[in-house]
């Protein structure tokens, strides 16, 4: 419970100046880190030390630090978001590491997520997939009273389970094929489970899958690594639902 | 005073908005196609506005500093969103929501704005459901509600503990649909660094492409700022790390008044500060107070033992626990509004009854609710929040009470706007947390999401038409105009200046120093002496900052330190203005406890005679003191009473 101090850690981290330059690993040491600190707080402290030494700080993505915005990434010791389960990197705490350990930190590795700098990758491919149909076509105003669209409790819960995806990309990073199936299936299931999303369900699945393929994500071979590494425990049963929607949409064309 | 025309429509409160809508101008579809609007920020306010404006037919350019609009700070909101639907038949109504909000804000908000907010609130829920927001449901399939701090009816809609996320995803989906149609050009990883005025009107912005470092010009017939709040001036807060007040500050420097900057909200239920390596405070949703009971030990010796870690909370028997909220406020108990709960926690801790090593925490205990309802019910209600708490603190809240402490959370103050949400600069609008309207001196829970979406979906899309109708003859804005060139030069000059200081201390060093001054003197309790001291201290930090800050990296590359440096430079200025404003307001109201103005029982004492106004600060130049203008608040429909939750 009480915080301890890790006296010394080695941080082996990927450094890459920009998208077009070649990257390499550098190792830094850091001292006196509280086990109550988050991984990103450790990175802040490391960065402040680097700045004082005249070394460029390590660029990494983060914002909310509450495990909900999906901005933070980091491949830590060979796992997306590090060794803890069901958490993002900002919610990973240093109590998960040992005294004297060498921690390896890399950016997400996937062709569809090119590195921008150091540990920051470009995830706009996710945006493009969503723009291909991840919405209900409704304008502002002129909609019916909310309670005229009843939704069974279980359906709302299942929809919410899928809607909890934070778009972090850990599933892609975890997958040996760099497939985006878990992410896409989460959005498709979120909307397909609700009456409002039904009308466009088939078209949505078809368009989003086509976009995903076009953007260079790999195919899904059901290895399940995505589910294991997903910080929001998005279930691969969503992939089955996506496959069903997709199949139906192909058949009914 | 003409420069402060709030444009509140005439007529009875309940008819103001509909009459106003009937009277303001509408732009024809053909003309909308010729008009461009810039929306800076894609949180709930900005995303809903950008999508709605694009649906109407305007050409929209939207900006955010994150890599995706979906990551805006709005995503972090946990608890819920209010709406006067009266689905629970517990006698809720538009008037009751209006009244609770006005009262909760300690009568420092405009009646007309707040009434409109309550009036459009039911439409928000309809809109979000139509978009596919998976709100919590009853078994019969209808929407579920819960009650939230400071109110006695159940009017809060929620999507587990992830309401903000789901509402934002709804607005983001609407935005994506417009992006795919080509009606919105989305500029992610772009930061607005200045607003450009031509002939007195807002005509565009200067932004930095955060990846390439390039400074670019964007023109439009109107500019909407939806950039959120400035709570990060305190360094430690519940806000996202990138949240900043810079865009609003640039507007201020270009003539938009800053209103009530000293009004910031302190949220009572955050995970306490521990040690000195912390970067951020995590909020635990206020909904926890529905079932959790707040307490500290009755006996000081128990508190001391807790602080030393000699005993645990479960070693203290019920009769030795002081449920101080229930004791002091019997009718609201643990559900008192945020400012009351925060102050009460601080009072107990200051008196020596704090329960963690630092003596700066109180317990939020679920033991009683688990005994009454069973663990499963509590897990279903708060499971993900409990999990989050355990991940952060390594304590299981099913077995041990949570520890909480107040933290900076929300800025009620912000850019001054009139009833149309336009700032004092023509063509420059401000919506969501970035503006000052609707919450007065204190915001009730679940009202910020409501305000952001009300502004973006249902208010701005109408009111901006009133302005743009007169702009249809203005051709596409020429970004080669000298005004753009000058603004760009200024921005580049400022970045180079920061970069070339090449001092010895990191940006965070200064930010933390500023934050400490703000928390100590401009935080939960304030007095004139402390505020004067704070102003001087901030000046010193600023001087030091501009001499000794070290910005590494390159100007023409992705450079988070450079981004932070610009924001901290602005926070230094914002902090000083906050202290000035707090100094002027020699009364206690809302979350702003002025030590010189307290009742005998130690409760906040408002002074309506002298302070029933919005303070509006006008920028006068770099080293000049700003001018204070006052917008008098007129209450015709509610009687100003001392707030009581006893
Ligand atoms: C942890 C937490 C929980 C909360 N829970 C609740 C709740 O339960 N209910 C409730 O009603 N409210 C809640 N709130 C408050 C509420 O979430 C916010 O007030 C609200 O979401 C603000 O929305 P916004 O659209 O105004 O701004 P934000 O969501 O903050 O969006 C700001 C946008 O501006 C952009 N931006 C900022 N600066 C620039 C710049 N210079 N250039 C370009 N882009 C810029 C950002 O990229 C972002 O897109 C909570 C807040 C927090 C922190
Ligand atoms: S499915 Fe899980 S891992 Fe993939 S993007 Fe969503 S939250 Fe992240
Ligand atoms: S920083 Fe938002 S999820 Fe980690």
């Amino acid at each position: 419970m009480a915080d301890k101090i890790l006296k010394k850690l080695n941080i082996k981290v990927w450094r890459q100046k920009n998208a077009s330059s070649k990257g390499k690993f550098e190792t830094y040491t850091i001292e006196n880190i509280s086990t109550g600190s988050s991984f990103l707080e450790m990175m802040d402290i490391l960065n402040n030390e680097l700045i004082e030494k005249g070394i460029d700080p390590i660029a990494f993505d983060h914002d909310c630090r509450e495990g909900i915005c999906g901005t933070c990434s980091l491949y830590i010791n060979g796992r997306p978001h590090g060794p803890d389960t069901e958490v993002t990197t900002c919610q990973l705490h240093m109590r998960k590491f040992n005294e004297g350990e060498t921690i390896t930190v890399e950016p997400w590795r996937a062709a569809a997520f090119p590195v921008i700098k150091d540990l920051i990758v470009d995830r706009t491919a996710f945006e493009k997939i969503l723009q291909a149909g991840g919405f209900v076509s409704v304008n502002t105003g002129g909609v019916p009273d909310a309670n005229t669209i009843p939704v069974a409790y279980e359906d709302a819960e299942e929809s919410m389970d899928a809607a909890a995806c934070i778009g972090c990309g850990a599933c892609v990073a975890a997958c040996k094929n760099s497939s985006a199936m878990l992410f896409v299936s989460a959005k498709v299931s979120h909307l397909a489970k609700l009456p409002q999303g039904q009308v466009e369900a088939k078209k949505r699945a078809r368009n989003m899958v086509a976009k995903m393929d076009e953007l260079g994500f790999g195919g899904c071979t059901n290895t399940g690594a995505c589910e294991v590494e997903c910080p929001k425990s998005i279930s691969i049963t969503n992939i089955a639902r996506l496959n069903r929607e997709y199949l139906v949409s192909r058949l009914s064309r | 005073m003409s420069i402060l025309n709030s444009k509140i429509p005439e007529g009875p409160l309940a008819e103001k908005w509909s009459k106003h809508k009937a009277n303001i101008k509408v732009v024809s579809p053909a003309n909308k196609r010729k008009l461009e609007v810039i929306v800076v920020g894609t949180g709930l306010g900005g995303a809903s506005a950008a999508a709605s404006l694009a649906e109407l037919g305007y050409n929209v350019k939207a900006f955010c500093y994150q890599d995706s609009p979906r990551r805006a700070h709005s995503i972090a909101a946990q608890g819920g969103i209010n709406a006067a639907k009266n689905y629970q038949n517990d006698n809720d109504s538009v008037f009751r929501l209006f009244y609770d909000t006005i009262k909760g804000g300690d009568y420092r908000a405009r009646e007309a704005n707040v009434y409109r907010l309550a009036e459009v609130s039911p439409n928000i829920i309809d809109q979000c459901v139509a978009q596919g927001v998976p709100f919590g449901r009853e078994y019969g399939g209808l929407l579920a509600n819960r009650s939230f701090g400071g109110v006695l009816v159940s009017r809060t809609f929620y999507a587990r503990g992830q309401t903000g996320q789901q509402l934002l995803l709804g607005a983001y989906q609407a935005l994506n649909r417009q992006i795919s149609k080509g009606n919105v050009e989305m500029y992610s990883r772009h930061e607005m660094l200045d607003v450009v005025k031509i002939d007195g009107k807002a005509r565009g912005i200067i932004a930095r492409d955060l990846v390439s470092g390039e400074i670019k010009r964007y023109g439009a017939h109107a500019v909407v700022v939806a950039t959120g709040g400035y709570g990060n001036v305190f360094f430690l807060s519940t806000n996202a790390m990138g949240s900043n007040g810079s865009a609003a500050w640039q507007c201020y420097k270009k003539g938009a008044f800053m209103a009530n900057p000293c009004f910031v909200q302190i949220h009572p239920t955050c995970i306490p500060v521990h040690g000195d390596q912390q970067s951020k405070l995590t909020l635990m949703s206020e909904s926890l107070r529905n079932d959790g009971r707040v307490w500290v030990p009755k006996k000081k010796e128990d508190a001391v033992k807790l602080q030393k870690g000699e005993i645990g909370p479960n070693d203290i028997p019920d009769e030795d626990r002081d449920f101080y909220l229930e004791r002091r406020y019997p009718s609201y108990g643990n559900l008192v509004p945020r400012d009351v709960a925060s102050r009460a926690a601080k009072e107990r801790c200051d008196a020596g009854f704090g329960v963690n090593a630092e003596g700066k925490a109180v317990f939020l205990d679920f033991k009683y609710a688990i005994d009454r309802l069973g663990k499963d019910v509590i897990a279903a209600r708060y499971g993900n929040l409990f999990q989050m708490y355990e991940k952060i603190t390594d304590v299981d809240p099913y077995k041990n009470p949570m520890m909480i402490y107040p933290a900076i959370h929300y800025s009620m103050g912000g850019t001054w706007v009139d009833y149309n949400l336009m700032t004092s600069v023509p063509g420059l609008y401000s919506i969501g947390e970035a503006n000052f309207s609707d919450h007065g001196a204190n915001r009730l829970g679940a009202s910020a999401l409501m305000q952001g979406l009300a502004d973006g979906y249902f208010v701005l899309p109408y009111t901006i038409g009133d302005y743009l109708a007169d702009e249809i003859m203005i051709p596409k804005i020429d970004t080669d105009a000298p005004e753009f060139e000058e603004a760009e030069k200024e921005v580049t000059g400022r970045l180079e200046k920061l970069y070339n200081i090449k001092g010895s201390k990191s940006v965070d060093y200064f930010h933390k120093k500023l934050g400490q001054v703000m928390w100590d003197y401009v935080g939960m309790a304030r007095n004139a002496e402390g505020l004067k001291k704070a102003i001087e201290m901030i000046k010193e930090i600023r001087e030091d900052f501009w001499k000794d800050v070290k910005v590494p990296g390159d100007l023409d590359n992705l450079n988070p330190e450079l981004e932070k440096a610009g924001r901290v430079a602005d926070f230094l200025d914002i902090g000083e203005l906050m202290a000035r404003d707090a100094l002027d307001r020699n009364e206690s109201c809302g979350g702003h406890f002025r030590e010189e103005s307290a009742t005998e029982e130690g409760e906040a004492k408002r002074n309506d005679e002298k302070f029933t106004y919005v303070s509006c600060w006008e920028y006068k130049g770099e080293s000049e003191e700003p001018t204070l203008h006052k917008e008098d608040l007129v209450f015709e429909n509610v009687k100003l009473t001392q707030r009581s939750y006893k």
Side-chain angles (χ1 to χ4, degrees), chain B residues 435-467:
Chain B
N435 76 22
F436 88 104
S437 69
D438 298 14
H439 304 301
N442 173 49
R443 173 177 70 86
L444 290 183
S447 298
L449 301 180
M450 174 170 69
Q451 187 222 338
L453 291 180
D455 289 358
Y457 283 135
F458 298 113
V459 180
L460 181 84
Y462 295 129
T463 58
I464 205 171
D466 192 47
Y467 173 81

Side-chain angles (χ1 to χ4, degrees), chain A:
Chain A
M1 220 172 108
D3 298 343
K4 289 200 269 309
I5 296 291
L6 296 169
K7 289 209 192 66
K8 191 180 155 193
L9 292 165
N10 302 310
I11 312 292
K12 185 179 164 196
V13 53
W14 185 257
R15 304 301 315 254
Q16 181 171 335
K17 195 171 163 58
N18 53 39
S20 52
S21 63
K22 253 179 83 172
K24 63 170 192 302
F25 280 106
E26 294 282 357
T27 302
Y28 309 103
T29 59
I30 181 161
E31 290 167 357
N32 299 325
I33 293 295
S34 162
T35 52
S37 296
S38 74
F39 196 84
L40 297 186
E41 282 163 354
M42 182 279 289
M43 295 288 286
D44 291 340
I45 295 164
L46 175 59
N47 269 344
N48 269 314
E49 286 177 12
L50 295 182
I51 293 169
E52 275 165 26
K53 284 184 198 148
I55 303 172
D56 260 9
I58 304 153
F60 61 92
D61 252 339
H62 65 99
D63 202 16
C64 74
R65 299 210 174 179
E66 284 195 14
I68 186 77
C69 71
T71 311
C72 60
S73 46
L74 304 196
Y75 210 73
I76 303 163
N77 286 345
R79 292 181 66 181
H81 296 305
D84 205 354
T85 52
E86 296 177 26
V87 290
T88 51
T89 300
C90 58
Q91 298 296 83
L92 172 68
H93 280 72
M94 295 309 291
R95 65 182 80 93
K96 299 285 165 190
F97 299 90
N98 300 318
E99 186 60 56
E101 191 177 338
T102 297
I103 307 174
T104 308
V105 193
E106 295 165 82
W108 283 173
R109 305 259 189 214
F113 291 162
V115 173
I116 295 177
K117 181 177 180 164
D118 295 339
L119 303 168
I120 297 182
V121 301
D122 181 355
R123 285 174 282 200
T124 37
F126 269 10
E127 310 290 298
K128 294 192 181 128
I129 296 177
L130 294 176
Q131 283 154 20
F135 44 75
V136 176
S137 295
V138 52
N139 277 1
T140 301
V143 299
D145 181 274
N147 261 352
T148 57
I149 314 175
V151 180
Y153 177 84
E154 293 76 13
D155 288 338
E157 289 296 299
E158 270 191 64
S159 171
M160 183 61 226
D161 285 342
C165 163
I166 56 173
C168 63
C171 47
V172 175
C175 176
K176 66 179 165 62
N177 309 318
S178 299
S179 166
M181 276 297 260
L182 194 63
F183 169 76
V184 175
S185 72
K187 180 56 45 173
V188 164
S189 299
H190 157 204
L191 295 175
K193 266 282 154 192
L194 298 170
Q196 307 88 300
Q198 281 301 324
V199 182
E200 297 165 289
K202 289 179 201 158
K203 197 170 106 196
R204 177 178 308 118
R206 199 163 62 227
N207 289 350
M208 287 176 74
V209 168
K211 196 63 176 183
M212 173 182 86
D213 292 343
E214 177 195 317
L215 290 167
F217 291 100
C220 172
T221 52
N222 287 314
T223 51
C226 52
E227 186 187 63
V228 176
E229 297 296 3
C230 172
K232 297 293 154 186
S233 309
I234 303 294
S235 160
I236 45 174
T237 55
N238 289 306
I239 297 184
R241 186 176 298 118
L242 169 61
N243 283 331
R244 235 170 17 245
E245 294 281 346
Y246 185 69
L247 203 68
V248 173
S249 90
R250 304 282 302 207
L251 293 175
S252 62
R253 263 178 117 173

Side-chain angles (χ1 to χ4, degrees), chain B residues 80-155:
Chain B
I81 177 168
N82 286 336
K85 277 285 200 186
N86 195 30
Y87 279 161
Q88 305 307 328
N89 195 28
D90 53 4
N91 199 8
D92 199 9
S93 63
V94 167
F95 190 85
R96 195 175 292 277
L97 174 53
F98 153 76
Y99 181 74
D100 286 345
T101 310
I102 281 275
K103 176 185 167 205
D106 237 345
Y107 307 94
R108 292 295 174 262
R110 264 189 215 138
E111 272 192 340
N113 283 56
V114 179
Y115 193 88
R116 174 176 64 189
L117 174 66
E119 190 179 339
V120 303
S121 67
N123 304 3
I124 298 173
I125 305 304
D126 299 341
Q127 182 64 31
C128 295
V129 165
Q131 288 169 341
V133 170
F135 282 120
R137 298 272 168 171
E138 306 286 0
Y139 278 99
L142 301 183
L143 287 149
N145 290 108
R146 61 184 169 206
S147 64
F148 224 64
V151 286
L152 299 174
V153 290
S154 284
R155 66 160 72 102

Side-chain angles (χ1 to χ4, degrees), chain B residues 180-255:
Chain B
S180 71
K181 286 182 166 180
N183 301 336
V184 175
E185 272 177 70
M186 184 66 223
Y187 296 89
S188 296
R189 291 200 198 268
H190 276 68
E191 180 160 351
M192 164 182 157
L193 294 180
D194 207 355
V195 52
V196 182
K197 262 168 59 177
I198 299 181
D199 296 334
K201 295 176 172 177
R203 289 299 190 205
I205 64 165
I206 306 291
R208 180 169 180 268
D209 177 336
L210 298 180
V211 176
S212 67
E214 214 184 323
I215 306 294
K216 299 192 227 164
R217 309 169 184 184
Y218 300 90
H221 295 85
V223 175
V224 182
V225 169
T227 50
Y230 51 82
N232 275 359
V233 70
F234 289 83
F235 186 70
L236 285 180
S237 82
T238 65
N239 289 2
M241 298 297 283
S243 291
N244 66 90
S246 286
W249 196 250
Q250 306 318 326
C251 295
Y252 168 71
K253 283 179 147 179
K254 285 283 161 88

